[in-house]
Amino acid sequence: GRSSKVDEAYRLGCDVVIDKSSEDLWSAATKACPAGFSTIMDANGVSTLKESYNSLSPSGRLIVFGFHSNLPLGQAMLNPLEWIRMAMKQSNMPKFDAMDLTVSNKSVLGFNLSFFAEEREVLSDMFDQILEWISDERLECPNVVEMEMENIALAHEFISSGKSIGKIAVKTE
C-alpha cells in the first residue's frame, strides 16, 4: 500500500512486492504470476474482492478476512455521510455464483479474526507453529512497535493511519 513498506516486505522474505501507490496492483500481480494465484488472502473488501477472485488460478482459493476499504477511518467514522457511503459500498460487494465456483473449481472462504478469541486450542497450535518457524529461522518476525497502555489511543491512531510498518503491541504491564 505504501512505498515506505516495501523494504520491510523484502526483509521478511517476499520475492515480489507490489507497491500499489506507485503501480497498478492487478497489472503487477498478473506480471508476477501470469497463471493466477493458488491463494489470495484479501482484507481490503469491496476495492479488491472482484479482481482478487478474477486473479485466482483454476482451483484457487480466495480467503476473505476483512473489509478495510469498506469502513470509514479516524474522525470520518463519526460522520453520518460516511455510513451512507459504507452502505453504498456494501451494495457494490461482489456476489459469487455457486455454478461459477463449481465450474472454475475456485473457492471463496471467509472468517472474522474477532471470533477466534474463544478458540484457544486452535490458536495455541497455530502460535506454536509460528514460534517454531521463527526459531528455525524459516519465518522472519516483522518489525514490532511497543507502546504503553496509557498510549492506547495513540496506538489506535497509528495503526488506523496506515503509516505503521509491522506490528503494534500494547504492553499491559
Side-chain angles (χ1 to χ4, degrees):
R2 291 184 182 267
S3 298
S4 60
K5 298 181 179 188
V6 170
D7 289 341
E8 178 70 358
Y10 281 123
R11 185 187 73 76
L12 292 171
C14 293
D15 295 321
V16 176
V17 178
I18 300 170
D19 176 7
K20 65 181 187 174
S21 71
S22 65
E23 61 187 320
D24 178 70
L25 170 61
W26 301 111
S27 297
T30 300
K31 181 179 177 185
C33 193
F37 296 89
S38 59
T39 304
I40 294 178
M41 300 181 74
D42 192 321
N44 286 313
V46 70
S47 67
T48 54
L49 277 177
K50 182 177 179 184
E51 287 305 317
S52 288
Y53 180 79
N54 291 339
S55 297
L56 291 173
S57 64
S59 75
R61 309 294 188 255
L62 172 57
I63 302 170
V64 182
F65 65 100
F67 294 93
H68 177 77
S69 64
N70 294 43
L71 304 173
L73 298 174
Q75 294 297 323
M77 70 187 321
L78 302 175
N79 183 337
L81 290 175
E82 287 300 320
W83 289 90
I84 293 168
R85 285 187 190 103
M86 187 172 66
M88 290 173 57
K89 288 177 185 178
Q90 180 66 29
S91 71
N92 290 323
M93 191 75 67
K95 312 292 186 272
F96 298 101
D97 180 275
M99 182 62 80
D100 180 58
L101 290 168
T102 305
V103 171
S104 65
N105 204 29
K106 295 179 180 179
S107 298
V108 178
L109 309 128
F111 67 92
N112 185 325
L113 289 170
S114 302
F115 296 134
F116 279 100
E118 300 301 318
E119 302 290 337
R120 287 181 177 86
E121 187 175 321
V122 172
L123 290 177
S124 178
D125 291 344
M126 290 178 189
F127 281 122
D128 289 347
Q129 181 65 70
I130 291 169
L131 290 174
E132 180 183 318
W133 288 338
I134 290 171
S135 176
D136 294 346
E137 296 182 353
R138 293 188 296 165
L139 182 65
E140 183 76 27
C141 187
N143 179 52
V144 177
V145 174
E146 293 184 5
M147 300 181 87
E148 301 294 332
M149 181 58 84
E150 58 264 15
N151 294 325
I152 190 78
L154 183 59
H156 187 266
E157 183 180 319
F158 189 39
I159 197 167
S160 295
S161 73
K163 295 177 182 174
S164 64
I165 298 174
K167 300 296 172 192
I168 299 171
V170 178
K171 297 190 287 186
T172 58
E173 294 180 13

